Amino acid sequence: QPDWIVVSENFTSKGWPGQAIGSLDTRRSRGSFDISGLLRGEWRVPLIEIERADFRLVPPDDALKARDPVIPPKPWYAFMLPSRFNCGWIDCPDTSIELPLGATSVRGESLHVRATMIGKNFKYSGKGGRLLYPEYPPMAVDAVEVYVTREMIDIGNLELREPSSSHSNLQLSARLGQHADKSIKASAQIDGLDIVPFLPAHIAKVLSGRLSGNLDYATDTSGNNITGGGAVSLAGGVLKNWDYLDQLAERAREPEFAHLQIGEASVSYTLDGDVIRVDKLGVCAGRSITVAGRG
C-alpha cells in the first residue's frame, strides 16, 4: 500500500518552448506516492488516476528550445533528494489527445487511456472514444498504441471502426520523424470500409461500395522521395446517378448501364515519387463490361 495519497481537483501545464508536449489539463486526479522509493533514490509514483484529461502534442522546434528558461543551480541540500522519477501507470477513462500530422492535427476524444514510462518517455495505450480528422467522418477507436520520444512519434497500432460496423475496418501503423528527421513510414490494412463517407460529395453521389486491401507509404528523412504501393479492391460497388451513364444506357439500349453493378474492381500499384505504376487493374461491371490492364 502507498504511504501517501495526493489529490488535485484541477491541474494545468504548458510545455517548454520547442518541446513536443504542448499542454496538459486534467480534472480530479489522485496519485499514490510510495515513500519507500526514497531509499532507492527515486520519487516513485505507482499509480495516477485521472477523471478527465486533455493532452496536446505539437511539432518540436529546436530554434524555440533556445528560449527555454534557465535552470537555476540546485540547492545545497539537493544531494539528499532523489534524482530519479519513476511512474508506474497513469489511468484516465476520459482522455482527449491531439497529435500533429503534417500541416493539420488528428484528435482522439473520450478515449480510455493508460500510460507507462519507458526511460524518460511515455508509451500510451487506449480504446473507446472516437478519432476526428478534418474533412473525414468520425471513426470509433477499438485500440491505439502511441510512443512519443524526442526523435519520433510511433503509432504502433491504431484500429478504427465505422460506428455501424461490427469489426475494425481500418488498421494503421506509422512512424513520424521529429526535428531534423522529417521521415514518414506508414501502412494501412483496410477491411470492408464503406467508401461513401470518405469521398467528395459529387463522387459519393455516383459511386458506392466497400473497400479492402493494404497500403504502404514512406519518405526519406527530408520528407521527400516518396515510395510505397499496395493493392485494393472494391466489393458491392455501384455506379449510378451519373449523366454519362444515363446517356450511355440510352444509346446502347442497355438500361442496366444507368445503374451499373460492379462485380469486381481491383488494382495493385507501386508509388515512386510522383509516378504511380499500376501493375494490375481489373474491373467487371454489369453483364458486358470487362476492363483489364496496367499502366
Side-chain angles (χ1 to χ4, degrees), residues 10-31:
N10 296 284
F11 174 80
T12 299
S13 67
K14 184 177 180 181
W16 281 11
Q19 300 284 0
I21 296 177
S23 63
L24 173 64
D25 296 283
T26 68
R27 184 179 66 191
R28 296 197 183 118
S29 305
R30 181 179 185 272

Side-chain angles (χ1 to χ4, degrees), residues 231-248:
V232 293
S233 61
L234 188 70
V238 177
L239 277 170
K240 60 182 180 180
N241 302 322
W242 189 5
D243 291 342
Y244 171 77
L245 287 182
D246 293 337
Q247 296 168 13
L248 182 63

Side-chain angles (χ1 to χ4, degrees), residues 14-263:
K14 184 177 180 181
W16 281 11
Q19 300 284 0
I21 296 177
S23 63
L24 173 64
D25 296 283
T26 68
R27 184 179 66 191
R28 296 197 183 118
S29 305
R30 181 179 185 272
S32 60
F33 178 65
D34 186 353
I35 197 170
S36 68
L38 298 176
L39 301 176
R40 298 188 292 272
E42 64 180 15
W43 301 108
R44 188 169 189 277
V45 183
L47 177 64
I48 299 175
E49 296 172 298
I50 304 171
E51 182 179 283
R52 191 183 187 288
D54 195 339
F55 184 44
R56 185 171 63 91
L57 295 170
V58 296
D61 189 328
D62 286 336
L64 289 177
K65 286 187 66 178
R67 306 178 190 175
D68 283 356
V70 177
I71 300 175
K74 294 181 179 180
W76 65 269
Y77 52 83
F79 73 95
M80 296 185 294
L81 299 175
S83 58
R84 301 188 305 274
F85 175 73
N86 184 302
C87 181
W89 284 98
I90 301 174
D91 186 273
C92 181
D94 185 5
T95 307
S96 294
I97 300 177
E98 184 175 303
L99 294 170
L101 192 61
T104 185
S105 294
V106 60
R107 184 173 178 84
E109 292 186 346
S110 303
L111 304 170
H112 187 164
V113 170
R114 300 193 80 196
T116 187
M117 287 189 74
I118 300 178
K120 295 182 179 180
N121 304 302
F122 279 93
K123 183 174 184 179
Y124 306 88
S125 60
K127 61 182 180 179
R130 61 180 189 164
L131 187 78
L132 305 175
Y133 189 72
E135 300 181 10
Y136 288 95
M139 296 283 282
V141 178
D142 288 336
V144 60
E145 283 187 1
V146 179
Y147 180 42
V148 180
T149 70
R150 184 180 183 278
E151 293 78 20
M152 55 91 180
I153 297 177
D154 185 2
I155 304 173
N157 183 42
L158 176 58
E159 296 180 15
L160 303 175
R161 173 175 48 84
E162 294 173 330
S164 60
S165 177
S166 60
H167 65 279
S168 299
N169 304 103
L170 187 59
Q171 182 173 324
L172 303 171
S173 62
R175 183 195 182 280
L176 312 175
Q178 303 271 57
H179 297 278
D181 180 2
K182 297 180 176 10
S183 65
I184 298 174
K185 186 175 182 180
S187 63
Q189 298 287 330
I190 309 168
D191 184 9
L193 180 69
D194 183 3
I195 64 172
V196 172
F198 296 88
L199 296 175
H202 65 286
I203 297 179
K205 180 182 176 182
V206 173
L207 178 64
S208 63
R210 290 194 169 273
L211 191 70
S212 298
N214 60 85
L215 307 171
D216 293 301
Y217 180 90
T219 71
D220 63 12
T221 55
S222 70
N224 300 311
N225 296 318
I226 298 170
T227 59
V232 293
S233 61
L234 188 70
V238 177
L239 277 170
K240 60 182 180 180
N241 302 322
W242 189 5
D243 291 342
Y244 171 77
L245 287 182
D246 293 337
Q247 296 168 13
L248 182 63
E250 183 176 351
R251 289 199 304 269
R253 297 181 181 179
E254 285 282 0
E256 72 164 11
F257 287 176
H259 190 97
L260 195 59
Q261 302 287 334
I262 303 174

